Amino acid sequence: MITETSVLDPVEGIRFRGLTIPDCQEQLPAAAGGSEPLPEGLFWLMVTGQVPTKSQVAGLTEEWASRSDVPAWVEKLIADFPKDLHPMTQFSMAILALQKESKFAQAYQDGIHKTKYWEPTYEDVMDCIAKLPRIASLIYTNVYRGGKTIAPDKNLDWAANYAHMMGYDEPQFYELMRLYQTIHTDHEGGNVSAHTTHLVGSALSDAYLSLSAGMNGLAGPLHGLANQEVLKWLKQFKAKYLSDKEANAATVTEAVWATLNSGQVVPGYGHAVLRKTDPRYTCQREFALKHIKDDDMVELVHLLYDVVPGILTEHGKTKNPWPNVDAHSGVLLQHYGLNEEDYYTVMFGVSRALGVHASLLWDRALGFPLERPKSMSTEGILAFIEANKK
């Protein structure tokens, strides 16, 4: 696949247009008084290939704010969803509802020339991204806060306003949201959510239809649900092995071995591509070390980082004994009181929309064709192997 926005290196981790996460933290503009990069800056980088100035990021924040109003009928649709309908299902359905507003779908129906497909795609991408924090926060308040909605504050940046509309106004949480929304945007083109968005978009489905499809992939346990699964495992691990013991290197080591010897795995460790510690884990760890003290769950994550890689290496059944992004994110959200684990993937989805939409925009600008891999039967594959044994 050709994916311009990011490339995943097995050792260095993710590079956004050539920049590592530490590079992005250093070079992308931050909010006034903050130190974490603004997601608007990373979107600008992924789309243009250039590091934006502060004024360019401020302009993008203002542009998204101007496009952020959600139609009243879509807000009512969200309010009418059953409270026990999974938040990711609600998120996907709300994105589909916004498709009524698609400028690309209308332009295609009107006969737009294919060399200009990217122009209404750009409008859809900008409109959709601008509205996602509103629909995601409405889902949160509808399911977990009795339907009490919070008006947007369009003076805030995109990520901080999302946190505000969920009911979280602590400056440190704003910073965490900016970091979280930045590091989850993209992970090259082959992951399920990115590939699905690209695949559906290759049929000239608009940005809303394509993103909704990608979010359905993100909702799977092997993709976007992973941080939720890690947090559940951490709680069970602590209750089973450390309820009557002090958590230290010795007791955690004993408990990890007991876990492995019972046939279970340590979730949050290992990655299909990475062969070193995920830099998305590292920047969250650095955030925790800087801002969080005396949190038992955060300290347990740090203890696991100290002992698990060595144990997994000795165990010998994993290619990568190092933690990935999901090993840390859940405990950070929980520290600030966001305990609704079923919702975490929606936050992931709001972020991932930045990367997959940036890629979709380039798909249309470059005129990429319909994706249609050749499929084979098992019989055909076996015949091919037999014919090519030598």
Side-chain angles (χ1 to χ4, degrees):
M1 296 179 64
I2 299 297
T3 303
E4 303 291 351
T5 48
S6 66
V7 174
L8 186 55
D9 183 271
V11 176
E12 291 187 333
I14 189 72
R15 281 184 174 270
F16 302 99
R17 292 286 191 162
L19 298 186
T20 63
I21 285 179
D23 292 337
C24 290
Q25 289 179 290
E26 180 181 344
Q27 297 183 38
L28 294 179
S35 59
E36 300 299 343
L38 289 165
E40 292 94 323
L42 185 54
F43 180 75
W44 185 291
L45 173 67
M46 289 189 291
V47 170
T48 69
Q50 303 294 320
V51 174
T53 64
K54 287 185 177 181
S55 62
Q56 287 170 330
V57 167
L60 183 53
T61 299
E62 185 177 347
E63 177 75 7
W64 282 349
S66 72
R67 296 171 179 252
S68 64
D69 290 339
V70 174
W73 71 270
V74 177
E75 293 203 2
K76 183 178 184 304
L77 177 71
I78 295 171
D80 288 341
F81 284 148
K83 301 296 186 290
D84 58 351
L85 183 64
H86 195 284
M88 277 302 285
T89 307
Q90 296 189 38
F91 189 53
S92 177
M93 292 171 69
I95 293 168
L96 281 178
L98 290 173
Q99 192 270 342
K100 182 178 181 293
E101 310 288 316
S102 173
K103 295 180 174 67
F104 177 87
Q106 185 62 52
Y108 187 85
Q109 188 175 5
D110 293 342
I112 186 174
H113 194 277
K114 63 182 180 181
T115 58
K116 295 186 178 295
Y117 283 170
W118 73 271
E119 295 179 5
T121 298
Y122 169 81
E123 296 298 329
D124 280 359
V125 162
M126 292 287 282
D127 285 344
C128 185
I129 290 173
K131 292 171 172 56
L132 289 181
R134 181 60 178 168
I135 68 170
S137 63
L138 287 172
I139 292 167
Y140 181 80
T141 54
N142 186 49
V143 174
Y144 305 110
R145 295 293 182 266
K148 185 179 180 181
T149 61
I150 299 170
D153 182 348
K154 295 185 178 181
N155 294 315
L156 292 172
D157 56 86
W158 184 78
N161 191 36
Y162 178 20
H164 164 72
M165 288 187 290
M166 291 171 64
Y168 295 87
D169 283 309
E170 186 178 346
Q172 269 188 28
F173 190 80
Y174 284 179
E175 280 286 271
L176 176 61
M177 184 67 90
R178 291 165 185 142
L179 177 64
Y180 185 98
Q181 295 296 320
T182 296
I183 65 176
H184 287 85
T185 54
D186 211 42
H187 220 227
E188 68 176 21
N191 66 77
V192 172
S193 55
H195 187 199
T196 303
T197 305
H198 166 79
L199 172 63
V200 174
S202 78
L204 296 186
S205 299
D206 59 62
Y208 301 95
L209 295 173
S210 303
L211 179 63
S212 179
M215 293 302 96
N216 293 339
L218 189 70
L222 297 184
H223 193 13
L225 290 187
N227 68 343
Q228 174 183 333
E229 296 299 314
V230 169
L231 185 57
K232 288 181 179 177
W233 178 86
L234 284 169
K235 292 178 178 178
Q236 293 167 358
F237 177 84
K238 183 179 179 182
K240 182 174 182 179
Y241 294 108
L242 301 171
S243 61
D244 57 352
K245 298 178 182 178
E246 178 188 354
N248 55 45
T251 58
V252 170
T253 298
E254 179 184 355
V256 171
W257 272 116
T259 298
L260 295 173
N261 290 334
S262 69
Q264 298 178 347
V265 299
V266 180
Y269 282 75
H271 192 275
V273 178
L274 290 172
R275 293 298 175 262
K276 293 290 185 180
T277 298
D278 189 336
R280 297 173 300 170
Y281 172 93
T282 303
C283 66
Q284 291 181 96
R285 175 181 169 86
E286 291 170 351
F287 181 95
L289 291 172
K290 178 179 179 181
H291 296 293
I292 298 174
K293 308 295 182 186
D294 301 322
D295 185 303
D296 291 345
M297 293 297 289
V298 171
E299 290 175 3
L300 176 58
V301 168
H302 293 172
L303 277 170
L304 288 167
Y305 180 67
D306 291 337
V307 304
V308 167
I311 294 172
L312 292 180
T313 300
E314 184 178 346
H315 192 244
K317 293 185 178 181
T318 179
K319 293 180 180 179
N320 174 22
W322 303 101
N324 58 51
V325 62
D326 300 309
H328 214 312
S329 56
V331 297
L332 293 181
L333 297 173
Q334 187 179 60
H335 173 80
Y336 291 98
L338 209 166
N339 299 314
E340 297 84 8
E341 298 162 17
D342 283 347
Y343 184 79
Y344 291 173
T345 313
V346 174
M347 299 175 66
F348 191 165
V350 173
S351 173
R352 182 51 54 90
L354 301 181
V356 300
H357 269 157
S359 289
L360 186 69
L361 177 57
W362 274 104
D363 290 350
R364 297 289 76 79
L366 295 172
F368 281 1
L370 177 70
E371 182 176 307
R372 208 289 190 186
K374 172 63 179 173
S375 61
M376 296 179 69
S377 66
T378 304
E379 181 182 5
I381 293 171
L382 293 174
F384 175 85
I385 294 171
E386 184 66 27
N388 290 274
K389 275 186 174 180
K390 293 183 180 181

